[in-house]
Amino acid sequence: MNRKGEYGKLVRDRIPQIIREDGAEPVTYIAGSEEYRNRLRDKLGEEVREFLEAEDAKAPEELADVLEVVHALAADLGVEAGQLEKIREAKASERGGFVDRIIWTGNR
């Protein structure tokens, strides 16, 4: 059950086909726009949790799943992947990235 008490979860587009190829018949429906955005947010949390729990060998695959959901969320917001990357670059230019591994512990 998701955060709104609804059953089911958002799955990748080919999952119903894969289920059929395995001999079962999936029960699906197409989400409306509001539900889709909410389900994407739920999926992002799910994929981030899976990344956080993954061992190093599996972490890149889980991180790619996070990125897939981020791209879907951006598209749903009307932002293309290239545009999202430009936004990320601008923020990195203004505030920096995380390459230097700086940990802030407060001010004096």
Side-chain angles (χ1 to χ4, degrees):
M1 217 175 344
N2 73 4
R3 63 189 155 128
K4 289 188 169 188
E6 299 165 334
Y7 288 93
K9 69 177 189 172
L10 183 66
V11 295
R12 289 176 176 263
D13 298 339
R14 291 194 61 240
I15 295 301
Q17 176 185 340
I18 292 168
I19 291 170
R20 283 186 199 96
E21 289 168 359
D22 286 343
E25 185 57 35
V27 177
T28 64
Y29 68 93
I30 305 302
S33 29
E34 183 180 346
E35 181 183 1
Y36 176 61
R37 186 169 292 171
N38 288 332
R39 298 282 187 157
L40 278 171
R41 288 172 183 255
D42 291 342
K43 181 60 81 172
L44 181 60
E46 175 188 327
E47 297 298 353
V48 167
R49 280 188 299 280
E50 289 176 7
F51 167 74
L52 293 173
E53 295 169 2
E55 296 182 13
D56 287 351
K58 185 129 170 93
E61 183 179 326
E62 298 300 341
L63 196 54
D65 289 344
V66 171
L67 189 55
E68 185 71 33
V69 177
V70 167
H71 284 178
L73 277 163
D76 187 58
L77 293 169
V79 178
E80 295 177 4
Q83 190 179 2
L84 185 63
E85 179 59 17
K86 285 180 184 175
I87 294 168
R88 186 204 63 77
E89 287 173 353
K91 287 192 83 167
S93 176
E94 179 184 323
R95 300 181 63 100
F98 298 98
V99 176
D100 293 339
R101 303 179 185 188
I102 298 169
I103 307 299
W104 178 56
T105 60
N107 297 334
R108 291 185 191 170

